[in-house]
Amino acid sequence: MASTSRVFRGCVHPFRRYLTPDDTHDLCVLCLGEEHARDVLEGAICVHCERFSMKKLRSRLSLFSRKEGQPSAPHGSGPAAAEARRRMSSWCLQVDLADEFWEGLSFSRSYINGKQEIMKWNGWGYSDSRFLFTKKGQAEFTGKRYRLSGLILPSLKDWFEGTFGANLQHRSPATPSLNLSAVAPPNLNQPFVEDLKAAGLVVSHDPEDRVFRAHGTELTSLCLAESFQKIFWFHLFMFYFIFHLWEICCHSDVEKIVELACKHNVCLIPYGGGTSVSSALECPREETRSIVSLDTSQMVNFFFSILWTSMATDNCLITHLNEHGYCTGHEPDSMEFSSLGGWVATRASGMKKNIYGNIEDLVVHIKMVTPRGVIEKSCLGPRMSTGPDIHHFILGSEGTLGVVTEVTLKIRPLPEYQKYGSVVFPNFQQGVACLREVARQRCAPASIRLMDNEQFQFGHALKPQVSSMFTSFLDGLKKFYITKFKGFDPQHLCVATLLFEGDRGKVLQHEKQVYDIAAKFGGLAAGEDNGQRGYMLTFVIAYLRDLGMDYYVIGESFETSCDALPSLLHRCALSVCRPLVTQTYDAGACVYFYFAFNYRGLNDPVHVYEQVEHAAREEILANGGSLSHHHGVGKLRKEWMKESVSGVGLGMLKSVKEYVDPQNIFGNRNLL
Ligand SMILES: Cc1cc2nc3c(=O)[nH]c(=O)nc-3n(C[C@H](O)[C@H](O)[C@H](O)COP(=O)(O)OP(=O)(O)OC[C@H]3O[C@@H](n4cnc5c(N)ncnc54)[C@H](O)[C@@H]3O)c2cc1C
């Protein structure tokens, strides 16, 4: 751990940004203003600025060129007392990342303000990235962003048609563009809007802005937005009330908004990256007040030490941390688009939780603005014995209590060495037994995931065209070895993908330990490439759902955690779903279930899907599974909350809500 006596000071008036220890100004760069930053860069004398390098002066000036719509500069809020006391002598590795972080943040702008320009309005992810079948019937993945991009996938068509009975002649294409004139006007609370404007806050009523922020990515929302015209109109009705508030860039702005919302009795829905899969972002149908989507994605505020940030989409967070040699280690599959505030509000889990922990393990400090006031702890101590942990009222609160405006997260230096791996098992049961043993011996790699045979076949269908005879020959040999020589049945074998991280020596040792355990369960090492491809699949699988929707196939995944995995997996309502074990614990595991079907000829496919998920969820709960391991409850699963946490437990949560938000300003009606 590095240690130094450098002290950071907050700029006292008007308290916006921190002053780094080598800065002898009394005011922060923002309070000093653009002219000052420009003058000193051009050579004007300032006894304070002359100690800075040209790089730093340039970086300071660039803060101002960024202010139009880009993540505005941090206002330096936070637990003021703790900040002032924070020292470089703390136990944590302390790093001043503030200035460097601003460099190169420009891409956030395109994501945040031009979200609709680069992302699909009617499906998952980037507009330029999608699976499609060419006129020749060959599958390809477009764009340049992923490992699969630009590649031909020769086996996908057969897999797709064979698995779902789909036919490429039968198309159900998505509605290509949003009919803006069909979006009903917002239900404005004019005095509220006037007060917001007077406070210098920017509001958008733009129909596209509203539509984009009025739903998550659960199947029901996307179907509404994509193919099913009838339901789509109904969904537009829900957009009727919403208007969208953007350029929320600091804690004090949020405080003002919440104060005004209370004054004018307006409903607020915090919005992070919009990747929710629990209908958490949908506007409640019964709400008659103005609904405001509070887009927090501009709240970017990096600080020293532990990373201090508000709601940076991970695009900023992870990429920039990595560029500076650090990581949070929190990598949910949605990490390209989800936000830190969303992670906290949903109790998210990342695939490397074995090393870094889930979000609740990574969080050091949280600050949330509620109608009752600001809630936060007074210090950054690693543990407190002061009654129930107030962070745990915030973690998983799903936007029902307030807006998370600041989070202090642990960060770590990037691992020196990373290695993927994979193991083939003769069947799923043996794979599960191996994962259990790995958990029991507490030697799980950063990530270990087990996919069943059908997912293995799916992974195979996504193999790109091989470029050389040699690769094709090698693939054939491996297949021959596993199926003929070792006698694995291709219809039953399954695969675990592995990711090891750490220093090289330890990784190699660790790898050996895991492969040794796997061998005891009949597992055969199946190479790094298969492992790496397995992880890549997790980032493109949501795109595959959109391809299905173009050909009458709808699908969705849902997850749970349980202690008795083998018995759960055999329940009949679940046997129509394909399981994927994604996380292991001392006392159980997290399982995803994938479910898709061809809906051609069905009147109401979404309803059919909902019935299947409902039956599956009942089965999960009846067998000791949780309502959710990490996706949260939202509106989709709240009917089971009482069963999950007991009547008294639910009553406790409701009384917290009543105390914190008596007017139900955060009225998204999730969870409770
Ligand atoms: C393809 C795909 C893969 C996924 N993989 C994972 C995974 O691996 N692990 C995982 O945990 N989840 C996963 N999810 C689910 C989703 O990404 C998470 O729930 C994520 O944490 C949501 O973050 P967000 O920023 O998109 O929040 P949003 O979707 O914008 O909001 C989610 C909820 O949080 C509330 N909220 C958002 N920001 C704030 C804030 N600042 N203050 C208060 N409330 C707020 C909202 O009101 C809403 O109730 C996945 C989803 C998809 C579509």
Side-chain angles (χ1 to χ4, degrees):
M1 297 277 177
S3 126
T4 147
S5 59
R6 295 165 73 206
V7 178
F8 282 77
R9 293 170 296 134
C11 164
V12 278
H13 179 75
F15 197 71
R16 299 186 78 186
R17 206 159 187 262
Y18 288 92
L19 283 89
T20 49
D22 52 347
D23 188 346
T24 52
H25 287 107
D26 287 329
L27 296 178
C28 73
V29 60
L30 290 178
C31 295
L32 287 167
E34 181 172 0
E35 207 175 320
H36 183 83
R38 191 177 305 283
D39 286 352
V40 289
L41 188 63
E42 285 166 6
I45 292 174
C46 163
V47 288
H48 305 289
C49 287
E50 68 185 12
R51 67 191 70 232
F52 296 143
S53 66
M54 289 303 282
K55 183 179 167 218
K56 187 150 187 170
L57 291 178
R58 266 196 301 273
S59 136
R60 291 187 142 218
L61 181 61
S62 72
L63 283 176
F64 296 93
S65 57
R66 203 174 284 125
K67 72 186 170 199
E68 277 291 309
Q70 293 194 354
S72 50
H75 288 221
S77 46
E83 270 164 35
R85 282 198 306 272
R86 198 160 331 160
R87 291 197 179 89
M88 302 308 278
S89 56
S90 100
W91 277 37
C92 311
L93 175 66
Q94 306 276 350
V95 205
D96 182 1
L97 297 169
D99 280 341
E100 297 93 72
F101 259 149
W102 293 110
E103 289 170 12
L105 268 177
S106 55
F107 67 90
S108 334
R109 177 189 177 157
S110 58
Y111 173 64
I112 294 162
N113 291 343
K115 186 171 177 172
Q116 37 270 51
E117 281 153 36
I118 63 163
M119 293 184 69
K120 295 193 192 90
W121 80 279
N122 58 1
W124 172 254
Y126 295 108
S127 317
D128 59 11
S129 302
R130 62 177 67 236
F131 286 102
L132 54 80
F133 290 113
T134 62
K135 286 194 179 125
K136 288 184 194 160
Q138 271 185 324
E140 70 175 65
F141 191 72
T142 61
K144 292 186 177 155
R145 298 175 192 269
Y146 300 90
R147 202 178 145 192
L148 272 190
S149 302
L151 297 178
I152 301 287
L153 313 163
S155 312
L156 188 59
K157 176 173 172 283
D158 287 349
W159 176 83
F160 184 68
E161 290 183 331
T163 308
F164 301 113
N167 183 329
L168 297 199
Q169 306 309 317
H170 299 150
R171 296 209 60 205
S172 53
T175 310
S177 54
L178 179 62
N179 178 1
L180 295 180
S181 60
V183 181
N187 170 22
L188 290 186
N189 179 323
Q190 207 56 48
F192 175 65
V193 175
E194 295 307 322
D195 274 1
L196 285 174
K197 285 187 182 158
L201 292 155
V202 183
V203 172
S204 165
H205 308 154
D206 178 75
E208 221 176 17
D209 279 345
R210 288 186 283 131
V211 169
F212 257 81
R213 284 150 184 99
H215 61 83
T217 51
E218 51 284 321
L219 176 78
T220 42
S221 286
L222 288 181
C223 284
L224 299 173
E226 212 182 67
S227 303
F228 306 103
Q229 290 296 334
K230 197 175 110 219
I231 315 173
F232 184 34
W233 293 117
F234 167 66
H235 201 58
L236 288 182
F237 170 71
M238 290 202 279
F239 296 149
Y240 184 82
F241 300 112
I242 201 165
F243 71 100
H244 160 227
L245 189 69
W246 60 294
E247 280 209 353
I248 306 159
C249 48
C250 73
H251 171 82
S252 57
D253 288 349
V254 176
E255 277 189 300
K256 187 75 197 166
I257 293 161
V258 174
E259 182 198 316
L260 293 176
C262 292
K263 178 177 162 195
H264 297 287
N265 197 20
V266 163
C267 172
L268 298 178
I269 300 190
Y271 179 93
T275 65
S276 161
V277 281
S278 63
S279 300
L281 292 169
E282 273 181 24
C283 308
R285 292 167 205 192
E286 53 275 57
E287 183 58 73
T288 53
R289 298 172 294 181
S290 262
I291 299 179
V292 176
S293 170
L294 230 138
D295 188 336
T296 58
S297 48
Q298 291 208 32
M299 302 177 69
V300 189
N301 193 350
F302 295 106
F303 268 89
F304 61 93
S305 156
I306 315 166
L307 178 73
W308 186 305
T309 165
S310 297
M311 301 312 114
T313 60
D314 83 291
N315 269 331
C316 319
L317 187 66
I318 291 172
T319 316
H320 286 269
L321 268 177
N322 290 357
E323 277 169 11
H324 291 83
Y326 296 91
C327 65
T328 65
H330 183 67
E331 296 189 9
D333 293 352
S334 58
M335 68 181 190
E336 292 164 285
F337 308 109
S338 50
S339 70
L340 179 52
W343 297 343
V344 167
T346 57
R347 281 184 82 86
S349 171
M351 71 167 177
K352 295 188 196 164
K353 75 97 200 145
N354 294 336
I355 290 188
Y356 301 93
N358 291 316
I359 192 70
E360 63 273 20
D361 307 308
L362 288 165
V363 159
V364 174
H365 187 272
I366 311 174
K367 188 167 182 173
M368 180 164 83
V369 179
T370 76
R372 178 72 64 179
V374 174
I375 175 169
E376 65 177 319
K377 292 184 188 175
S378 66
C379 73
L380 303 183
R383 186 170 189 272
M384 286 160 77
S385 176
T386 45
D389 190 337
I390 57 161
H391 280 172
H392 287 283
F393 289 107
I394 302 173
L395 284 152
S397 56
E398 300 191 3
T400 58
L401 299 178
V403 190
V404 175
T405 54
E406 291 179 6
V407 181
T408 307
L409 273 189
K410 297 174 202 167
I411 60 170
R412 294 206 205 178
L414 278 172
E416 177 199 304
Y417 188 65
Q418 257 196 347
K419 193 167 181 198
Y420 289 94
S422 61
V423 181
V424 187
F425 293 97
N427 55 52
F428 195 63
Q429 291 72 19
Q430 273 171 274
V432 170
C434 171
L435 260 61
R436 190 177 177 203
E437 183 58 20
V438 168
R440 204 185 62 77
Q441 293 194 26
R442 291 196 161 178
C443 63
S447 173
I448 177 164
R449 289 183 163 187
L450 181 72
M451 54 180 94
D452 81 340
N453 183 265
E454 289 199 38
Q455 289 183 64
F456 163 73
Q457 308 225 10
F458 162 58
H460 203 70
L462 286 183
K463 269 197 159 178
Q465 207 161 25
V466 286
S467 48
S468 76
M469 286 286 286
F470 180 68
T471 321
S472 151
F473 176 68
L474 258 187
D475 280 352
L477 264 189
K478 282 183 207 155
K479 196 170 164 190
F480 177 81
Y481 177 73
I482 289 174
T483 56
K484 298 285 183 292
F485 192 69
K486 285 287 178 182
F488 284 22
D489 179 347
Q491 300 309 315
H492 287 108
L493 60 82
C494 75
V495 177
T497 53
L498 310 165
L499 172 60
F500 298 90
E501 277 190 8
D503 70 62
R504 194 167 184 280
K506 284 194 185 136
V507 163
L508 298 178
Q509 231 177 357
H510 194 178
E511 192 187 21
K512 182 176 177 325
Q513 186 183 8
V514 172
Y515 282 115
D516 284 350
I517 296 174
K520 290 187 187 140
F521 295 88
L524 294 174
E528 276 186 74
D529 197 49
N530 283 325
Q532 194 167 12
R533 202 174 39 253
Y535 287 101
M536 179 267 301
L537 289 187
T538 62
F539 292 105
V540 295
I541 198 160
Y543 288 100
L544 197 78
R545 182 172 70 175
D546 292 346
L547 176 76
M549 281 172 142
D550 285 347
Y551 295 92
Y552 290 99
V553 175
I554 53 172
E556 181 66 293
S557 66
F558 49 94
E559 39 71 72
T560 183
S561 53
C562 65
D563 60 338
L565 199 53
S567 66
L568 183 77
L569 294 173
H570 280 102
R571 306 307 301 181
C572 59
L574 292 169
S575 62
V576 293
C577 312
R578 304 322 323 160
L580 170 71
V581 182
T582 54
Q583 271 110 336
T584 56
Y585 292 87
D586 285 350
C590 165
V591 197
Y592 264 83
F593 291 100
Y594 289 94
F595 174 65
F597 63 96
N598 187 330
Y599 71 83
R600 196 156 176 265
L602 288 180
N603 275 340
D604 193 349
V606 176
H607 182 61
V608 173
Y609 167 76
E610 283 170 346
Q611 285 181 316
V612 174
E613 189 189 339
H614 195 276
R617 186 61 62 185
E618 293 272 345
E619 196 86 344
I620 287 170
L621 294 175
N623 284 278
S626 66
L627 188 52
S628 170
H629 169 264
H630 58 265
H631 281 170
V633 175
K635 289 179 262 301
L636 212 56
R637 292 178 269 275
K638 77 175 191 177
E639 66 174 284
W640 291 288
M641 261 303 269
K642 188 171 170 190
E643 189 180 333
S644 293
V645 301
S646 77
V648 177
L650 190 60
M652 283 168 76
L653 295 179
K654 282 186 175 163
S655 58
V656 169
K657 165 78 180 170
E658 261 165 46
Y659 171 75
V660 167
D661 184 15
Q663 277 174 271
N664 195 24
I665 295 301
F666 289 90
N668 59 19
R669 296 179 204 239
N670 293 335
L671 205 60
L672 303 174

